[in-house]
Every structure is written in C-alpha cells, then in structure tokens.
Amino acid sequence: MGQYDAQVRQQLSKYKHKDLAQRDILNVFASFSDLKPKIDKYAFSDGSVKDLLCIDGTIPVHYKGAKYNIPVCIYVMDTHPYNPPMCFVRPTKDMLIKPSKNVDANGRIYLPYLHEWKFSNSDLIGLIQVMSVVFGEASPVYAKPQKASPPRPTYPPWGYPHPQQFNPYPTNSGFMPMPNASGQPQNSGYYPPQNPPTSSYQLMGRFQFITKGQSTTSQFVYM
C-alpha cells in the first residue's frame, strides 16, 4: 500500500470513475516523489466551484544543462480519466511567470497533449513527462529581480553634516515680529541676522549715534 492510497481513496469518494481515477493518480505518486495530493477548490468559468483532488508539488525539468524543480498544480476533474485535468504553474514568492504559447500570464498550462486528451491513450504520467520536456525548452518561470539598495550618501572627508546652528529668527516665536503702531518691533528679543544674504542690491551702512541733550537716539546713515 502506497503512502497516499487511503487519502486518495477518501478524496475521490465523489468522483464518477473512482477506480480508474485512483489508479492513474497513484501511479503519479509512485513515479514523482515531490508531488502529493490535496483537496482544493476550483472555480470554473461559469462561476461554479468544486472541491477537486489536486496534485501539488514540483516536477523535475532539465533546462540548459541544469536540473530545476518547477512548481505545478494539476486539478483532476471529477470525470477523470475521460476529461483532461486543468494544469497550472504555481510560482513561489521568489519566482515570476514567464508567459509563452504554453503558459499564460495566470500560469495556466496549454499543451497539445491536453487538447487531444483521450481515455486509454492519455494519462497523468504521460502529461507530466510532456510538461518536463516542454518546460526544458522554455522555462515557464524566472527568478524575481532583487530590489537594489539605495545608494549611501557621500559626506566630505572632514565629517558628517550637522544641523545649521544659526537661526536668523528668534526661537521663542514661530513668526517674524511685526512692528506696532509706533513703528517699533513688538518682540524686543528680535535681532537681525549676523550674516544676511547678499545680492546685487546690497546696502552697506553703519549705525551712528547722535546725542541731543540727555536723550540718545540711533540713526542709520547710508554710506
């Protein structure tokens, strides 16, 4: 008794041709150790959904001199072996599907062997062997490109950049102080920047103090 005999027999309880289907399916597991049975839901194009036995796992493929394991899923119809199975490539998280005449963008497999499926002339082992040959000529998957890490910023040899130490505006207010009715700034803590930006219209000047009597005023004299 094989490893999956009891499981397959139970999973085929609602199939129309249990004995024929069981024999064909168990032959697959005796020949391909990386495949196993499971029950999975399959949605048909008419909107109906059925629980079908699915042959799930990887099949060996020789591609450009190297051996690869291609992940597939073969849904065995409940009328098997009189109707062909529905076959798909199931890429892992590190793979992407490579569409071709035999595999569409959703991973569904199209082969003449499936199109010409006929009981007594077609079986699951023959189907998997044809898949291995076809995928050896044109791989249905390829490795997902890895994301390049962002370039590291470059810094001058004398060290890392530091936040600007000088703040041209007072730190105790989020706004520049506006003059009141007398023309004087409302915030006495405001001082003009020590190094204001230059332009082609730069004014050069100096403060000159003029004393009149006992009061002292400041006047800006343009030079």
Side-chain angles (χ1 to χ4, degrees):
M1 191 178 215
Q3 178 182 0
Y4 299 113
D5 288 21
Q7 180 181 346
V8 169
R9 188 179 301 109
Q10 181 182 2
Q11 292 172 340
L12 294 177
S13 60
K14 296 182 180 180
Y15 275 56
K16 296 178 174 60
H17 312 284
K18 301 181 189 65
D19 293 338
L20 293 175
Q22 179 177 325
R23 185 182 308 118
D24 196 16
I25 292 169
L26 291 178
N27 285 338
V28 169
F29 302 132
S31 302
F32 298 93
S33 59
D34 292 329
L35 295 173
K36 61 182 180 180
K38 71 174 184 178
I39 290 294
D40 200 2
K41 293 186 180 298
Y42 184 83
F44 293 85
S45 57
D46 62 359
S48 61
V49 179
K50 285 186 177 181
D51 289 329
L52 297 177
L53 186 143
C54 174
I55 299 174
D56 184 69
T58 62
I59 61 174
V61 172
H62 295 274
Y63 181 71
K64 294 185 177 180
K67 181 182 177 182
Y68 297 91
N69 294 314
I70 302 299
V72 298
C73 185
I74 302 172
Y75 289 91
V76 181
M77 298 294 107
D78 58 359
T79 54
H80 190 83
Y82 290 93
N83 293 99
M86 305 293 286
C87 306
F88 294 84
V89 174
R90 288 289 175 84
T92 64
K93 64 179 182 178
D94 299 322
M95 298 179 181
L96 292 175
I97 293 175
K98 185 178 182 181
S100 66
K101 66 179 181 179
N102 299 121
V103 180
D104 67 14
N106 296 318
R108 184 171 174 180
I109 300 171
Y110 299 89
L111 295 171
Y113 192 92
L114 289 168
H115 182 70
E116 299 166 3
W117 183 278
K118 186 178 180 181
F119 173 59
S120 75
N121 291 332
S122 307
D123 57 35
L124 294 171
I125 287 184
L127 170 62
I128 294 172
Q129 289 172 341
V130 170
M131 285 185 188
S132 296
V133 172
V134 171
F135 293 161
E137 296 173 352
S139 176
V141 294
Y142 63 97
K144 184 183 296 185
Q146 296 187 0
K147 296 180 180 179
S149 57
R152 298 182 62 182
T154 57
Y155 299 107
W158 52 85
Y160 294 93
H162 296 280
Q164 185 178 5
Q165 300 295 329
F166 174 71
N167 187 354
Y169 302 114
T171 57
N172 59 351
S173 172
F175 303 92
M176 179 184 291
M178 301 299 293
N180 55 26
S182 64
Q184 299 297 325
Q186 296 178 357
N187 187 346
S188 59
Y190 169 72
Y191 298 95
Q194 297 297 320
N195 296 299
T198 60
S199 70
S200 57
Y201 298 98
Q202 180 182 14
L203 294 176
M204 299 183 61
R206 67 182 181 185
F207 281 102
Q208 181 178 4
F209 294 91
I210 304 173
T211 304
K212 294 181 180 181
Q214 296 181 352
S215 63
T216 302
T217 60
S218 61
Q219 177 180 358
F220 188 84
V221 179
Y222 295 100
M223 302 298 292

